[in-house]
Amino acid sequence: MEENMWIIELESALLDDCNVNDIYSICRGKGLPEALRPDVWQVCLDVRHKSDQMSLFNEIYDLPFQSQLREDCQRHVDRMGNDEEDKVSVVSDLESIITFYCKNRNLQYEPENGWIELLLPLFALKLNRSDTFNLFEAIRDTYIPKGCKPKGNVFHVFRLLLQYHDPELCSLLDTKKITPDLYSLTWFQSLFASCSSLSVIIAMWDLYFQNADPFMVFFLALIILINGREKIMQIKASSKEEIIEFLINMPCALELDDVWDFCSLAQYYALKTPTSFKTDYLKALYGKQNDSPRSQEESNKVSQALCLPVSVYELVENSATEFPVSDAVRFFLVDCRPAEQYNAGHLSTAFHLDCNLMLQEPVAFATAVQGLLTAQRQAIEVNSNAGGEHLCFMGSGRVEEDQYTHMVVASFLQKNTHYVSLLTGGYASIHDYFGDHMADCLEDHNVRKCLVCQQHNTQQTKNVPLKATTAASSTDLFSKFSAAMKSKSAEVKGKLLDIIVNPSAGSAAAAGGVANGAQSAASQERHVSAKERNGKRYRNVAPVFSIDDENEEAYDAAERDAPNLAGDNKEIVNLNQYFKSADIINAFKCQEVHMSGYMYDSHLIITPGQLVVLRELGRGQAQIMVRRPLASIVKITAKKRHRDLITFKYGFPDGEGLMITDMDRFLIPNANEATALVSKHIVQVLDNVK
């Protein structure tokens, strides 16, 4: 009797005007009694008192795709094995509901879009047509992510989640070019109704609607992959098509007894994921769909994100929490700014890893990484609030510097490091967040040397309104954060100082060497801004052309200053037709590395007189980004540690040195062949000029 008291309590609550929170507090994730399920679902989806919308339907079936819709309804109902009389009724209601939904929302039905699969489990509740429609509409609006289509934002976000929890599995699928939309499209479209039995779906939705978390589908999909990880690794040598087929059908193995564990694991992984995952992507995935430029910009940010983002609010809240919930996310903050910026202000618990060392001093960088991992491990062992399993990398918030932070993050991802994230906005966002409380919350803050302070002072001098800070929290939060930072600062420094590698001190000699090298190089090569292009084009003078291993620390400055004149008129072309052009000598598949750190799938085209860059747009189309005259290439450089990372420098001789006017950087798998071919044709072009 005591075991069933919750059912009596649930019945009583349903008689009153209860809500989804009341339902969850009573049921606590239990399976629902069949008799109460219709009422509980209506309460959870907030449609219990909704009007009869189907009464507005004029019963006219005249949509352009009506015959296709009718055939699909019939085909799906035939699979259910109902009595003939039931089949006719279900088919009629299916077609009516979808037809009215299309007319009411001005939408078009498409085969295999998941609508029918989403509706069929609702018929098991044996509600009238109007109530069934209201449930269907509410599920679509609340729990089906927007953009559930091939290459949609949903799947870019899901890939970031998979990479966060299982980077090795994510890397394997990336290598096979198996994007999430190829296997999980139907999972998201129908909340797994397209690939699981009715009993499993009913039990799963019982828990799903009680939790009232629209992101739960992401974590359910994640659990499907992680549970099948061993098998996926075993068949990795199979063809792409065979792996995709296996992935699509994985949810079919779910049985009724698995549902509770399945959903519990999903909730556990949700707890182990930064809350920014939900807050940052809620609007993009579940907000109103539109094709505005701002919406497209948000879409691009998601698709080009290197790793999972973490908001400054979550980072600060996380750092200020003295007694976190067991298994909750705990960040280990890695400050990747150059040493001089770190020394001008930082969080006291941040580990400093100078990103410039990665290219300038690889040995020192490797040592620093080992120090980082040791510091993290020891911080976890002593249960320090400054340490956690989750690595959150932080750049400066300045695009020209953060490209190197992105390279550091990419190096950790390549090593299949779990729980890698990036602070949105970098140090600048922390600086703005604290605002007037900065002195209490930042360590060693120097107003004169802090770049963010300098920028703000410049804006004030020019009477430009300062960007509003994101600190919407009360003063209590800042005082709590300040107290937490000061109390743990001594603890952190005492226990971790011996193992933390501070590149600003450890590589002083190396930095001096680099500085001296840069000084001597300045006499040979310098960069110009867009306004300084006053040198004369050379004739009968061979360019100073080389393929070497020099440092490219000025790459970002040159790219920022120089306008992309060669690509002002960015033409859209069909790739297949373009590759058939008679003047194309060779084409190399590559990735264009932007100064922001983003990488774009591209093609490097070599013609008798030009270097052309095509950026893929999808569906066989590409955009011509730049057309560079081969004669303008004066230097091609590569890195010792990154032989495939190639930089083309453009310019002209300037006395005994070079005047560099622009740069392009690419990641080319077969870089040796590409650079050899380019150099060969540069020589030919110059010979023809002579």
Side-chain angles (χ1 to χ4, degrees):
M1 184 65 180
E2 291 182 2
E3 291 181 359
N4 294 326
M5 281 298 294
W6 71 274
I7 297 179
I8 298 173
E9 188 179 354
L10 179 59
E11 289 176 336
S12 176
L14 290 172
L15 292 174
D16 298 328
D17 195 17
C18 63
N19 57 37
V20 63
N21 294 326
D22 300 324
I23 296 293
Y24 181 78
S25 64
I26 294 170
C27 299
R28 296 289 180 183
K30 299 183 183 71
L32 300 172
E34 187 174 350
L36 300 181
R37 180 173 291 117
D39 286 330
V40 172
W41 282 19
Q42 289 182 82
V43 170
C44 291
L45 291 163
D46 197 24
V47 297
R48 199 178 189 191
H49 304 296
K50 200 162 187 178
S51 61
D52 180 3
Q53 297 186 79
M54 286 296 294
S55 63
L56 303 175
F57 183 37
N58 58 13
E59 302 293 341
I60 297 177
Y61 302 87
D62 58 351
L63 296 173
F65 42 82
Q66 198 72 53
S67 59
Q68 177 69 59
L69 171 58
R70 187 169 297 139
E71 289 175 11
D72 291 347
C73 290
Q74 185 69 56
R75 186 176 69 256
H76 280 83
V77 173
D78 285 343
R79 296 176 186 168
M80 297 172 62
N82 293 28
D83 296 335
E84 287 300 322
E85 186 177 340
D86 288 341
K87 285 183 180 180
V88 173
S89 174
V90 173
V91 169
S92 175
D93 286 347
L94 263 178
E95 185 179 1
S96 298
I97 289 172
I98 294 179
T99 300
F100 177 64
Y101 183 68
C102 289
K103 290 187 173 184
N104 193 40
R105 294 294 187 93
N106 194 27
L107 297 173
Q108 285 196 347
Y109 168 79
E110 297 177 1
E112 309 300 331
N113 65 0
W115 293 3
I116 296 176
E117 292 92 335
L118 197 64
L119 261 170
L120 287 176
L122 300 179
F123 283 98
L125 303 182
K126 301 190 183 303
L127 294 167
N128 61 46
R129 192 173 67 166
S130 178
D131 288 339
T132 303
F133 174 85
N134 288 339
L135 283 173
F136 169 72
E137 183 182 52
I139 294 173
R140 285 273 311 151
D141 289 347
T142 309
Y143 292 111
I144 306 301
K146 301 296 187 291
C148 274
K149 57 186 179 181
K151 298 183 180 180
N153 258 357
V154 180
F155 306 106
H156 295 306
V157 173
F158 179 59
R159 182 194 165 276
L160 293 178
L161 182 65
L162 176 62
Q163 177 184 256
Y164 191 79
H165 289 283
D166 197 334
E168 183 181 8
L169 180 56
C170 182
S171 177
L172 170 64
L173 296 177
D174 286 348
T175 302
K176 291 282 186 177
K177 295 186 177 179
I178 300 176
T179 53
D181 55 304
L182 296 178
Y183 58 84
S184 65
L185 177 61
T186 58
W187 304 355
F188 285 89
Q189 283 179 339
S190 66
L191 296 186
F192 295 97
S194 63
C195 48
S196 301
S197 66
L198 179 61
S199 60
V200 167
I201 288 303
I202 293 295
M204 187 190 303
W205 288 6
D206 277 349
L207 303 178
Y208 204 109
F209 300 148
Q210 287 179 48
N211 279 285
D213 180 7
F215 283 92
M216 190 172 178
V217 66
F218 286 89
F219 295 99
L220 291 173
L222 177 66
I223 298 304
I224 290 288
L225 292 181
I226 289 177
N227 279 358
R229 184 184 198 280
E230 186 177 342
K231 179 62 176 176
I232 297 171
M233 291 298 182
Q234 289 175 359
I235 64 171
K236 64 182 181 181
S238 302
S239 67
K240 175 180 177 180
E241 292 72 22
E242 290 173 332
I243 296 176
I244 291 174
E245 184 68 20
F246 173 77
L247 294 173
I248 289 174
N249 293 317
M250 281 198 298
C252 299
L254 277 175
E255 298 181 358
L256 186 58
D257 292 338
D258 300 326
V259 172
W260 192 88
D261 289 337
F262 179 44
C263 293
S264 296
L265 276 172
Q267 290 176 309
Y268 172 77
Y269 273 83
L271 186 66
K272 298 280 286 183
T273 303
T275 57
S276 303
F277 171 72
K278 296 181 181 180
T279 56
D280 286 6
Y281 292 136
L282 180 64
K283 188 175 181 180
L285 296 176
Y286 293 97
K288 183 179 179 182
Q289 260 188 318
N290 58 69
D291 296 323
S292 66
R294 185 173 181 178
S295 175
Q296 187 60 43
E297 182 181 345
E298 289 296 323
S299 176
N300 291 338
K301 285 182 180 178
V302 174
S303 63
Q304 296 165 9
L306 179 62
C307 62
L308 215 62
V310 168
S311 68
V312 63
Y313 178 80
E314 179 176 11
L315 178 70
V316 172
E317 279 281 306
N318 190 278
S319 300
T321 303
E322 289 292 338
F323 304 102
V325 178
S326 177
D327 291 326
V329 171
R330 199 66 180 162
F331 292 116
F332 186 85
L333 181 61
V334 184
D335 192 331
C336 295
R337 293 175 298 150
E340 63 274 10
Q341 293 185 33
Y342 175 85
N343 292 331
H346 57 268
L347 289 177
S348 61
T349 54
F351 184 101
H352 184 216
L353 180 67
D354 192 336
C355 60
N356 289 336
L357 287 183
M358 184 175 180
L359 296 179
Q360 295 175 1
E361 296 291 334
V363 175
F365 178 77
T367 304
V369 169
Q370 290 304 312
L372 183 156
L373 298 176
T374 304
Q376 181 191 25
R377 185 169 59 253
Q378 293 199 3
I380 293 173
E381 288 174 355
V382 300
N383 198 28
S384 167
N385 286 340
E389 291 183 300
H390 300 255
L391 290 171
C392 182
F393 290 86
M394 179 181 77
S396 65
R398 296 156 59 90
V399 175
E400 62 271 21
E401 292 159 359
D402 283 351
Q403 59 175 319
Y404 299 109
T405 301
H406 295 159
M407 293 180 69
V408 171
V409 173
S411 71
F412 277 80
L413 292 173
Q414 288 171 356
K415 295 173 184 174
N416 297 326
T417 307
H418 286 64
Y419 309 138
V420 171
S421 61
L422 189 64
L423 178 65
T424 302
Y427 173 75
S429 65
I430 290 180
H431 192 285
D432 288 345
Y433 184 92
F434 288 137
D436 295 336
H437 304 271
M438 197 184 315
D440 294 326
C441 301
L442 292 179
E443 190 88 0
D444 301 330
H445 183 250
N446 187 322
V447 177
R448 295 182 178 180
K449 295 183 179 180
C450 174
L451 295 183
V452 181
C453 288
Q454 291 177 9
Q455 181 183 6
H456 286 182
N457 291 337
T458 302
Q459 288 175 326
Q460 287 178 323
T461 302
K462 295 180 179 179
N463 294 320
V464 177
L466 289 180
K467 178 182 176 182
T469 68
T470 57
S473 304
S474 65
T475 305
D476 291 341
L477 171 62
F478 293 113
S479 59
K480 179 175 69 171
F481 180 86
S482 176
M485 290 296 102
K486 289 180 179 178
S487 65
K488 71 181 72 162
S489 179
E491 168 197 354
V492 174
K493 290 180 179 177
K495 292 180 179 176
L496 304 183
L497 192 58
D498 291 337
I499 54 176
I500 290 180
V501 178
N502 189 337
S504 64
S507 58
V514 172
N516 294 335
Q519 186 176 1
S520 62
S523 63
Q524 299 296 323
E525 178 180 331
R526 67 188 184 95
H527 297 267
V528 295
S529 68
K531 299 177 181 178
E532 198 184 348
R533 297 190 181 195
N534 51 7
K536 298 179 180 179
R537 284 293 299 152
Y538 54 91
R539 285 188 180 181
N540 302 324
V541 179
V544 182
F545 175 80
S546 65
I547 300 176
D548 59 22
D549 300 305
E550 68 166 345
N551 290 318
E552 294 171 337
E553 62 274 6
Y555 168 76
D556 56 309
E559 185 174 357
R560 183 176 68 253
D561 293 339
N564 205 359
L565 298 177
D568 285 346
N569 185 17
K570 295 181 179 178
E571 178 186 353
I572 305 296
V573 298
N574 180 283
L575 279 174
N576 289 334
Q577 293 179 359
Y578 193 87
F579 287 150
K580 294 177 182 177
S581 302
D583 62 341
I584 291 182
I585 298 170
N586 208 335
F588 295 90
K589 178 79 173 175
C590 65
Q591 288 182 302
E592 179 190 358
V593 182
H594 196 261
M595 62 180 290
S596 64
Y598 292 138
M599 301 173 72
Y600 302 91
D601 290 337
S602 305
H603 298 269
L604 195 63
I605 311 297
I606 302 172
T607 71
Q610 290 184 326
L611 196 66
V612 183
V613 180
L614 300 182
R615 182 182 295 177
E616 291 186 4
L617 300 176
R619 297 187 177 181
Q621 291 190 317
Q623 189 172 31
I624 298 178
M625 301 307 295
V626 290
R627 287 189 175 94
R628 306 287 195 186
L630 290 178
S632 68
I633 301 175
V634 293
K635 191 175 283 286
I636 304 175
T637 61
K639 291 297 179 185
K640 292 180 180 178
R641 299 277 177 172
H642 305 277
R643 302 299 300 180
D644 293 338
L645 187 60
I646 305 298
T647 300
F648 292 91
K649 299 183 179 183
Y650 312 95
F652 48 87
D654 181 32
E656 296 181 356
L658 294 173
M659 184 76 78
I660 304 299
T661 60
D662 218 337
M663 293 185 182
D664 290 321
R665 177 173 285 176
F666 305 96
L667 192 61
I668 311 174
N670 45 348
N672 288 339
E673 181 184 353
T675 52
L677 191 61
V678 170
S679 62
K680 171 185 174 183
H681 285 277
I682 289 175
V683 173
Q684 290 181 1
V685 168
L686 294 173
D687 286 343
N688 292 335
V689 172
K690 293 177 182 179

